[in-house]
Amino acid sequence: MALNNSYDARPAQQETAVGAGVQVLLLALIGTAIGMGPAGWLTGLAFAIATWAVLSRALHRSRPRSFGPANRVTLGRATLVGGVTALVADSFQDSPPVSLFVGLTSVALILDGVDGKVARRTGTSTPLGARFDMEVDAFLILVLSVYVSMAMGPWVLLIGGMRYVFVAAARVWPWLTAPLPPSTARKTVAALQGVLLLLAGAALLPHAVNVGVVVLALGLLVWSFGRDVLWLWRTSRVETAPAETEVRRELVTS
């Protein structure tokens, strides 16, 4: 109990507050550069506040010794995602500069491969860090799918919404929450989603080619999720079969 009572949450909480401050500074820079409208400002500020609140609560519950270098990288990536989110929200009124949109998104995607390496090299891998990284990834894909859907139609939202549908389904079917085995294919498909959506969103290729790129991204994602769901279902059936057999034996012998 003494160790729990002596826990000091201030250093980690201060880093989340700094992250929120950097997010506001980035929004100010973007707003000054492109004259961002109210929708972009409000969405960007809402993202900054939500990230700070959720992360602060998670830190309070997990009580890490320090925020950690890998989480700092992920927090920096989340800041860039906040900037991309503001640009996408503002794009409902005016199209954002392609160079700025591509630049922020590209750096965020590149850093996706950095925080994990930093965590492994520094020995600071934690469940909180892994979850933080995953949520930032998922939200960036959702934002990119919203942006691309404005040119190609609402079907593109299936890419960004698939992970959230999976999480919602897990509340109904708990067997979906079982841990999955490591998979290079799953990681590759997840990484490709952002790259392919950014390629389509940049509109550097003919429209028909961009549609093909997004269809490819969706097809890969459906395959990846489908394979994992099938594995989880089969595993749950194998685990429940012995229990059902034991119940039958007890009924027969009683």
Side-chain angles (χ1 to χ4, degrees):
M1 294 297 295
L3 290 175
N4 290 334
N5 291 336
S6 63
Y7 172 73
D8 187 2
R10 288 176 296 177
Q13 299 290 357
Q14 287 171 356
E15 297 212 38
T16 63
V18 170
V22 173
Q23 179 73 85
V24 174
L25 177 60
L26 177 62
L27 293 174
L29 292 174
I30 294 174
T32 302
I34 68 171
M36 190 163 58
W41 272 104
L42 291 174
T43 304
L45 291 173
F47 178 88
I49 294 171
T51 301
W52 169 80
V54 172
L55 188 55
S56 295
R57 182 180 178 183
L59 288 169
H60 181 74
R61 295 176 63 180
S62 61
R63 297 192 168 196
R65 293 182 179 180
S66 65
F67 193 66
N71 284 335
R72 293 189 187 102
V73 176
T74 308
L75 184 59
R77 191 156 57 87
T79 301
L80 295 174
V81 172
V84 175
T85 302
L87 286 175
V88 171
D90 194 61
S91 69
F92 283 92
Q93 296 179 341
D94 298 302
S95 298
V98 175
S99 58
L100 181 59
F101 172 76
V102 172
L104 290 178
T105 307
S106 297
V107 176
L109 291 173
I110 292 171
L111 289 178
D112 184 25
V114 174
D115 45 12
K117 292 181 180 178
V118 171
R120 289 188 292 272
R121 290 183 179 179
T122 58
T124 55
S125 298
T126 63
L128 172 61
R131 181 65 183 272
F132 185 25
D133 176 56
M134 181 174 61
E135 295 299 339
V136 172
D137 291 343
F139 193 79
L140 176 58
I141 298 304
L142 176 62
V143 170
L144 291 176
S145 66
V146 169
Y147 181 72
V148 176
S149 71
M150 287 188 282
M152 298 187 186
W155 63 272
V156 183
L157 297 175
L158 292 171
I159 296 176
M162 198 170 300
R163 190 254 173 183
Y164 296 99
V165 171
F166 180 86
V167 172
R171 295 182 178 273
V172 180
W173 298 293
W175 51 268
L176 287 171
T177 62
L180 288 163
S183 171
T184 302
R186 185 189 309 118
K187 293 180 180 179
T188 302
V189 170
L192 282 174
Q193 298 304 304
V195 175
L196 294 175
L197 285 173
L198 176 60
L199 179 61
L204 300 176
L205 301 173
H207 181 74
V209 177
N210 287 330
V211 171
V213 167
V214 179
V215 169
L216 173 62
L218 179 58
L220 289 172
L221 195 61
V222 169
W223 170 80
S224 181
F225 269 96
R227 189 183 67 153
D228 287 344
V229 170
L230 182 60
W231 186 91
L232 290 168
W233 180 77
R234 287 177 174 173
T235 303
S236 69
R237 299 295 296 176
V238 171
E239 292 176 350
T240 56
E244 292 174 353
T245 302
E246 186 64 28
V247 170
R248 293 191 188 99
R249 287 176 179 173
E250 291 179 358
L251 291 174
V252 170
T253 57
S254 61

